[in-house]
């Protein structure tokens, strides 16, 4: 009897050792496959973030020795009126991206499913702005907004109104660039929503039609709820992209006039590469990262609670 018990224990131990070996081989295999991506992520994402945080505690011009100053850059930052102006402008970009670009992209995607002749041509025309270079777009719209010879002011004159100094007036410069941003990036969200709509089964709409649902009811009870994951993803992309916006604003106005179109990205660039205040620029960059991180986490938490409650 004791011999049988010993044999069973031996066999059990052998099975456990074999299972551990299999699990170890799986772990090693997974690690080998994920190591390249992990290394790239650590080198090009995590390390720059930590370096930026480190530099923000120094006074440094980018070439000479760094001087540790603690939180002085952050104290100066929160008393900097230009920074708060840039943060406010970034907030307007976020609001425009979420509440104008995303709904417009959804409308454009819905139009692509409409029974309209030549819809493929519309699809190409809609997506064309997103394919263009940002520099080309910026220069194109600078000429279009020209206060004298620009086509927009010529149209305004034709309608009987006076010229508007779109990019040189503090009251209109930000609005003008936001119009360009909407025109450029709405096609991107159109493609996202179009891809999501293709995945919605036709049988759902057929069942709704049998029950007597009209087009609006099908949209609000079928299309819109099934697009919620895409809306959440698009919102995260829009918010993060808006917080780190730089190129189109710098090309069209350089942050002017009188910082009316200044963003955190353009202000950071000026501090780093014009004023050579790398420590202060790093503080701005890290604040941008924190804001984007916090907003993204909030969106994910809200979406998780929505799914948990069973809401669409």
């Amino acid at each position: 009897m004791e011999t049988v018990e010993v044999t069973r224990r031996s066999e059990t131990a052998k099975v456990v050792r074999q299972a551990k070996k299999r699990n170890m081989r799986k772990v090693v295999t997974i690690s080998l496959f994920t190591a390249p991506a992990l290394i790239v992520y650590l080198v090009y994402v995590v390390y720059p973030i930590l370096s930026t945080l480190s530099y923000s505690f120094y006074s440094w011009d980018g070439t000479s020795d760094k001087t540790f100053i603690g939180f002085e850059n952050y104290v100066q930052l929160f008393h900097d009126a230009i920074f708060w102006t840039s943060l406010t402008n970034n907030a307007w970009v976020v609001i425009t991206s979420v509440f104008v670009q995303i709904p417009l992209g959804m409308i454009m995607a819905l139009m692509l499913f409409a029974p309209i002749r030549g819809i493929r041509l519309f699809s190409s025309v809609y997506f064309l702005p997103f394919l263009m270079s940002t520099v080309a777009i910026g220069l194109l719209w600078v000429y279009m907004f020209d206060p004298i010879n620009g086509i927009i002011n010529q149209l305004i004159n034709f309608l009987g109104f006076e010229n508007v100094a779109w990019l040189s007036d503090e009251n209109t410069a930000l609005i003008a660039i936001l119009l360009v941003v909407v025109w450029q990036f709405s096609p991107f969200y159109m493609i996202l929503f179009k891809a999501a709509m293709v995945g919605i089964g036709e049988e759902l709409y057929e069942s709704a039609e049998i029950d007597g649902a009209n087009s609006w009811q099908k949209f609000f009870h079928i299309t819109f709820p099934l697009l919620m994951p895409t809306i959440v993803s698009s919102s995260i992309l829009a918010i993060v992209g808006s917080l780190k916006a730089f190129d189109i604003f710098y090309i069209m106005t350089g942050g002017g006039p009188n910082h009316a179109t200044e963003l955190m990205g353009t202000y950071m660039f000026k501090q780093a590469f014009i004023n050579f205040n790398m420590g202060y620029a790093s503080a701005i960059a890290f604040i941008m990262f924190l804001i984007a991180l916090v907003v993204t986490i909030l969106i994910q938490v809200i979406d998780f609670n929505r799914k948990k409650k069973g809401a669409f």
Side-chain angles (χ1 to χ4, degrees):
M1 191 69 178
E2 292 181 359
T3 304
V4 174
E5 186 68 24
V6 171
T7 303
R8 289 179 179 176
R9 289 180 181 177
S10 177
E11 290 177 353
T12 302
K14 184 178 180 180
V15 171
V16 171
R17 286 196 300 269
Q18 290 176 346
K20 287 182 178 180
K21 288 181 179 180
R22 286 196 297 270
N23 291 334
M24 182 60 66
R25 284 197 295 268
K26 289 181 181 180
V27 171
V28 172
T29 303
I30 294 172
S31 300
L32 289 175
F33 276 101
T34 58
L38 180 61
I39 292 172
V40 171
Y41 180 77
L42 292 174
V43 171
Y44 292 102
V45 178
V46 176
Y47 176 72
I49 292 173
L50 297 178
S51 297
T52 300
L53 176 61
S54 174
Y55 293 151
S56 67
F57 296 120
Y58 290 87
S59 175
W60 185 40
D61 61 5
T63 56
S64 61
D65 294 335
K66 298 188 292 289
T67 303
F68 182 78
I69 58 173
F71 289 94
E72 287 187 19
N73 282 325
Y74 291 97
V75 173
Q76 180 183 349
L77 187 66
F78 286 108
H79 290 86
D80 189 343
I82 299 176
F83 170 75
W84 288 108
T85 299
S86 66
L87 180 59
T88 303
N89 291 337
N90 269 110
W92 281 115
V93 179
V94 169
I95 292 171
T96 303
S97 298
V98 174
F99 296 104
V100 179
Q101 286 181 12
I102 293 178
L104 184 58
M106 185 186 298
I107 293 171
M108 293 164 66
L110 289 169
M111 291 178 64
L112 295 180
F113 288 92
I116 302 174
R117 181 177 298 178
I119 199 65
R120 292 184 179 178
L121 176 62
F122 282 104
S123 178
S124 301
V125 172
Y126 287 162
F127 196 62
L128 185 61
F130 187 71
L131 298 178
M132 295 175 63
S133 164
T134 302
V135 175
I137 290 175
L139 295 176
L140 170 67
W141 281 92
V142 166
Y143 287 120
M144 291 180 67
F145 281 128
D146 186 276
I148 299 176
N149 300 316
I151 188 173
I152 295 178
N153 271 335
Q154 289 182 4
L155 179 61
I156 290 176
N157 289 335
F158 178 77
L159 296 175
F161 298 98
E162 296 183 358
N163 287 352
V164 178
W166 292 99
L167 300 178
S168 57
D169 188 338
E170 296 180 24
N171 297 318
T172 59
L174 183 61
I175 297 174
I177 301 180
L178 289 178
L179 291 174
V180 178
V181 171
V182 170
W183 177 80
Q184 180 183 9
F185 289 103
S186 292
F188 171 73
Y189 300 105
M190 175 195 73
I191 295 299
L192 294 182
F193 284 115
K194 181 182 178 183
M197 291 176 187
V198 169
I200 299 176
E202 286 293 330
E203 62 275 7
L204 296 175
Y205 295 109
E206 293 173 358
S207 300
E209 287 180 1
I210 294 174
D211 292 336
N214 56 34
S215 298
W216 285 105
Q217 290 172 330
K218 286 189 287 186
F219 173 76
F220 283 109
H221 294 283
I222 298 175
T223 307
F224 188 76
L226 293 177
L227 288 179
M228 278 306 298
T230 306
I231 293 174
V232 172
S233 301
S234 299
S235 299
I236 293 174
L237 291 173
I239 292 171
V240 174
S242 299
L243 289 173
K244 62 185 184 69
F246 169 79
D247 43 11
I248 193 70
F249 285 82
Y250 195 79
I251 291 166
M252 294 186 68
T253 61
N258 193 26
H259 304 291
T261 60
E262 197 79 78
L263 300 181
M264 289 187 290
T266 59
Y267 192 45
M268 176 191 66
F269 176 84
K270 292 175 182 178
Q271 290 293 331
F273 301 108
I274 296 178
N275 298 336
F276 296 102
N277 194 347
M278 295 293 181
Y280 194 62
S282 296
I284 298 173
F286 193 73
I287 291 297
M288 292 170 60
F289 164 74
L290 284 181
I291 295 173
L293 179 64
V294 170
V295 172
T296 302
I297 292 174
L298 285 176
I299 292 176
Q300 295 285 16
V301 169
I302 293 171
D303 185 53
F304 175 78
N305 291 331
R306 176 188 65 82
K307 293 177 180 177
K308 191 175 181 180
K309 293 178 181 178
F312 65 80

